Amino acid sequence: MYAVYSLCLANLRKKKVHNGLIGLLILLSTLLLATSVTVILNTNNLFTEMHNKTHGSHEILTLGDELHDPQKVYQWWKGQEGVTTSELIPFRALSGFTNKGKESPVGLSSLYLYMMDTPARPYAVDELIFAQGNESLKPEKGTIWLSTAIAYLYDISVGDTLEFTTGEKNFELEVSAVVVDMPYGSPFPTTVRIWMNHQDYSEQFDAMQGKDQYMMGLRFDDYSQSTSYWEQFEKDMGTPFLDSKMSFESMSAFYLIMNKVIGFIMIFLGIVMMLVALFTIGFTISDDILSNYKTIGVIKALGLSSRRMIGTYVTQYGLIAMVAIIPGLIASQWISSVIVESALSSLKTGVMMASLEGNLITFAVGIFVFILVVLCVLVYSNKARLVQPMQAIRYGMSESNTITMTKRFNARGNNIISFGRAPILVVIGLRNILKNRKASLLMMLLATIMSAVLVLGFVLLNSISSIKQTSPLWGYDDSDIILTITNKSAFSREEFDKTILTDQRIDNIGWIGALNGVVSPERNVNSEHSSVQPMYFQIDIMDGSYDEAGFTTLRGENPRNKDEIAIGIKVSQQLNIDVGDVVETYIEGYKHTLTVTGIYQSIANMSYSARITTAVIKVNHPDYNNLDLAAFLNLRDNRDSDYVVNELNEKYKGSLSAIKQQTLLDNTYKQAAASLILPMSIMGLLFTGVTIIIVYSISRINIRKESKTYGIYKSIGLTSTKIRLSVSLGTVAISAIGAVLGIFVGVYFLPLILGSILSNYGIAEAPLVLNWGGIIAFACVTMISAGFGSWASSRVVAKASPQILVIE
């Protein structure tokens, strides 16, 4: 046992740099794996914990008085066992606000606001958690409560004064508290609830045209049974629920999507990095056995058994792994908290988010990594059993390897490929690659992985930053300007259309609204395509052309006639229908038999939606003209966008808000880009560091084996710089091959894997924007990193004299 301890200690002392690099590699692998598991686990846990803490709703119903009697619906749900209901809360809808006294981001003016007539707390469903300000039963007069999703994103704090407009008048309210509002507090907010004092609500909206709408939340004791409740609702009411309903899946989607994407990428790449680490350890052990073949033979001849020789390697790398894994696990907790807090910032209620859970699982990851390292060492160090003392002492290698090498030397004279006329730098570089094939393969594999990681990160960030180019593939329009009506009573659509279409800069305009549609199993025309349960989804209705507005489809085309409908891919999957099928849908209480003309994808509502034209509604409502809430405006020259937006906002101030679509998309998705930057940067830096470390370690091993050769080169006049340059050029050449392969993996293969997550959110084909200049530039970082690692490791050639090198 003392011999094993002595050999292990000698190896640790003799190869301090090399052992340190291996330890760092294990640390980084542990860090990435533990971080990915912690992020995935805590994203769900923190959301679920907050949802339970607030008694969060599973469904939010929005009711008017045209389709259902709100009181009647409320009383029906109130009487259901196993369901907790919130109060029936009145609200009015407005568009946008400004932060008085501060520079207001453009995104604030594009928000859709639910101005709530706040009942007294506590609430049975969707309780509000106070993040800033003094907790109270309801807002004081002249004040409001604002959601954390908006407050944190737009830097609004307690004491700020916000200005709202009804179109007829403006009014100001002070933020007295910032609250976690679960149903409308997710990242990428476009709709927000503003909690008002009852007296303020009455003063501002009693004289406003229109009627109150109502909102109520439902929390099921067993959410999986919600379908049976809705079936009973249809039987008792004699009609499906025809107003708007938001499901738990829609509420939770944007809370979870970013961290699921990040966690998935990290765990996939963490596994890859772990495999690279194990392969590097295996390569190092194999090389060490070959390099010290004679020494091992002498030691075995002196009586040290093969089992104890293997134990030397296990002890050595086991100690290195233990020292490396512990700081990796500790660091993973800090990085995980930063990533989770960044993506779930809207749930933050204090200076720091609640401590992360899953310490046992994180510890299990550390144990798993340690076991993998030990098993890898056992497998590769088992080669020490094959060392025969007599062969080792005589040949310095096994007899079979000696015969192979002799044949190789004898065959060189007949080799067709000759480097006799090639530049000396090329010859040395290529010789280093060809002679150390396993090392070259490892460096090429590493370059492939690093290049793929960097390219994937760049492609994702570039795709989100350039979302304007692919907005139709995300389910959005591709128009130049978005118009939102802030005051219907002060706005005349007929006069606006007449004025706007005489403007030579305007190409076309399309007005859009949204309704609720219902499909029940027995109402599906094709029995073979029957659905298993009633399906509720949003239906967009347009007076104009979907194609002109820029909406696109995956298959088929957008609807144009009164008997046509295009459906989201999730609706298509759940109802098992495709282009050409016929479906019967209830819209505003009327049954419509519609032919599916197209299938599209949309992330906004997870593709649980559909598209129709106003011709469908006008079958039952010939005078239907309730689409003056929003419009898409296209210009003949989009360079006029800024001028047209400014003119419209000035001319129709108080009744209409105009904003460039580019600005709206940037404000909506800048949070997604911000959430991706940190984790992708961490992974990019980790893989860059790992590449430099491994290339440095491998090159150092190769140089040590070739020290005598390099000593001869220097003795005959070749400078150290030329030798180092030739070795580095060979490494750059092999890493260039890996970088090319990495581009293919990062652009085509990894996005396919990522698509499996996006498909759960209604995106069947990930819309990527490929900037090949940036892709090639990031791939070149791989070659630079490999070249730097190789150049740094060859410093020993410059420091040592030819005599010392030859002696070594």
Side-chain angles (χ1 to χ4, degrees), residues 55-61 73-86 124-125 216-230 232-233:
H55 305 288
S57 57
H58 292 116
E59 292 176 342
I60 293 285
L61 309 185
V73 173
Y74 173 73
Q75 292 302 327
W76 188 90
W77 281 105
K78 195 75 173 174
Q80 302 304 306
E81 293 185 4
V83 183
T84 306
T85 65
S86 70
V125 176
M216 65 178 289
L218 305 176
R219 181 176 175 84
F220 299 91
D221 292 348
D222 183 0
Y223 181 47
S224 64
Q225 299 299 315
S226 63
T227 301
S228 60
Y229 285 100
W230 284 111
Q232 188 62 44
F233 177 93

Side-chain angles (χ1 to χ4, degrees), residues 236-440:
D236 293 347
M237 295 294 184
T239 177
F241 182 73
L242 300 171
D243 272 307
S244 177
K245 176 165 72 79
M246 181 169 63
S247 67
F248 175 74
E249 290 75 16
S250 297
M251 282 185 265
S252 62
F254 286 113
Y255 280 108
L256 306 178
I257 184 171
M258 287 308 302
N259 275 1
K260 281 190 175 180
V261 170
I262 293 168
F264 180 83
I265 294 173
M266 291 185 74
I267 199 166
F268 175 79
L269 297 179
I271 292 172
V272 172
M273 181 181 280
M274 191 68 241
L275 293 176
V276 171
L278 296 176
F279 189 76
T280 304
I281 292 172
F283 168 80
T284 304
I285 293 173
S286 298
D287 183 79
D288 186 71
I289 292 173
L290 293 175
S291 300
N292 298 286
Y293 206 89
K294 182 177 290 188
T295 304
I296 295 173
V298 171
I299 293 174
K300 292 183 73 173
L302 293 174
L304 190 68
S305 66
S306 296
R307 180 179 299 179
R308 291 189 176 184
M309 196 70 224
I310 293 172
T312 302
Y313 288 106
V314 172
T315 304
Q316 175 187 342
Y317 286 98
L319 289 173
I320 294 172
M322 289 178 62
V323 173
I325 288 172
I326 294 173
L329 295 178
I330 295 173
S332 73
Q333 291 295 299
W334 177 78
I335 295 177
S336 300
S337 65
V338 173
I339 294 174
V340 172
E341 189 170 344
S342 174
L344 294 181
S345 60
S346 59
L347 298 182
K348 185 178 176 182
T349 58
V351 177
M352 285 296 291
M353 192 173 284
S355 59
L356 300 181
E357 298 180 1
N359 290 331
L360 287 177
I361 294 181
T362 304
F363 181 74
V365 170
I367 297 295
F368 175 72
V369 171
F370 181 80
I371 292 173
L372 283 180
V373 171
V374 172
L375 289 176
C376 177
V377 174
L378 284 172
V379 170
Y380 282 92
S381 63
N382 194 54
K383 294 180 180 180
R385 291 181 181 273
L386 304 177
V387 176
Q388 299 298 322
M390 293 303 294
Q391 293 180 8
I393 295 171
R394 182 176 181 181
Y395 301 114
M397 62 185 70
S398 66
E399 189 173 357
S400 60
N401 287 343
T402 304
I403 295 172
T404 302
M405 183 173 289
T406 303
K407 289 181 178 179
R408 189 182 301 172
F409 278 123
N410 293 334
R412 283 183 180 178
N414 300 322
N415 201 333
I416 298 176
I417 301 175
S418 175
F419 295 107
R421 297 182 180 179
I424 186 65
L425 295 183
V426 174
V427 173
I428 296 175
L430 287 178
R431 180 184 180 277
N432 186 53
I433 292 173
L434 296 175
K435 187 174 182 181
N436 302 285
R437 293 174 185 175
K438 288 185 179 179
S440 300

